[in-house]
């Protein structure tokens, strides 16, 4: 025997019928907090901010030091082989 039952109700009504909690206020609080954090951090990803961080003079010095160190390592490896 096969029985089909159709219930026409909203998701909220179904949750209430089964005794599940209403998570709507919690979801709204989390979304508000997320939106607040995103708006606070939007300044960090602005094009002007990104260009300033990429064109930092200290960063250029670090790259130069890194290339000098790499060239020094390459030179020392050649000396060790001879």
């Amino acid at each position: 025997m096969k029985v089909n039952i159709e219930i026409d109700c909203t998701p909220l009504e179904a949750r209430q019928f089964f005794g599940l909690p209403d998570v709507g206020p919690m979801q709204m609080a989390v979304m508000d907090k997320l939106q607040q954090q995103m708006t606070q951090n939007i300044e960090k990803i602005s094009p002007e901010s990104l260009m300033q961080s990429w064109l930092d003079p200290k960063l250029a010095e670090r790259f130069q030091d890194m290339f000098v160190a790499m060239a020094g390592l390459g030179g020392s490896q050649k000396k060790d082989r001879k």
Side-chain angles (χ1 to χ4, degrees):
M1 178 159 84
K2 190 174 192 181
V3 177
N4 290 330
I5 299 175
E6 287 188 33
I7 300 173
D8 187 20
C9 67
T10 66
L12 178 62
E13 292 170 341
R15 282 194 299 270
Q16 288 173 347
F17 177 77
F18 288 110
L20 297 174
D22 183 18
V23 295
M26 182 182 66
Q27 288 175 336
M28 291 302 296
V30 168
M31 291 305 294
D32 290 341
K33 179 76 171 174
L34 180 63
Q35 184 177 8
Q36 182 183 21
Q37 288 177 348
M38 287 178 67
T39 54
Q40 287 175 352
N41 292 329
I42 197 76
E43 293 293 323
K44 294 179 183 177
I45 60 169
S46 69
E48 295 85 11
S49 176
L50 288 174
M51 289 303 290
Q52 282 182 341
S53 67
W54 290 345
L55 299 177
D56 184 21
K58 293 179 184 178
L59 184 63
E61 291 175 14
R62 289 185 204 136
F63 273 114
Q64 184 177 9
D65 293 342
M66 181 181 67
F67 286 125
V68 167
M70 286 172 55
L73 289 175
S76 65
Q77 287 178 352
K78 290 179 183 177
K79 291 178 184 177
D80 291 341
R81 289 182 184 170
K82 289 182 180 180

